[in-house]
Amino acid sequence: MELSNKQIERQDFVDNATFEFIKSLIPNDKQIDWDIESIGIVRDAVCKVLVAKQVCTEQEFYPFVKE
């Protein structure tokens, strides 16, 4: 099973929004490079909060294929 285009778009949106969020928290003029590992850590933390608050499911937040 593969992700649909809509699901891939959602993943891209979440990853990009997470990166922009991280960048917005930098307290000075420094910049940070794209790092999917760091993005994933923050993304997973946000997902846990939203799922715990019953705002959405993990699959709705960040679609994935179960292996």
Side-chain angles (χ1 to χ4, degrees):
M1 183 177 177
E2 294 183 15
L3 295 173
S4 69
N5 286 340
K6 184 176 179 180
Q7 290 172 314
I8 292 169
E9 287 175 13
R10 175 67 186 174
Q11 284 185 338
D12 289 344
F13 170 79
V14 172
D15 288 339
N16 288 320
T18 302
F19 183 57
E20 290 302 316
F21 171 67
I22 292 168
K23 291 191 322 182
S24 75
L25 295 174
I26 297 173
N28 53 40
D29 293 339
K30 293 186 180 182
Q31 295 185 10
I32 188 170
D33 292 329
W34 179 271
D35 176 9
I36 196 63
E37 185 176 341
S38 296
I39 292 166
I41 291 168
V42 175
R43 181 188 67 222
D44 291 348
V46 171
C47 182
K48 285 181 183 180
V49 170
L50 296 179
V51 170
K53 297 288 185 182
Q54 299 180 339
V55 173
C56 61
T57 67
E58 288 180 68
Q59 192 65 251
E60 290 170 325
F61 179 74
Y62 196 82
F64 56 91
V65 175
K66 292 184 181 182
E67 295 182 18

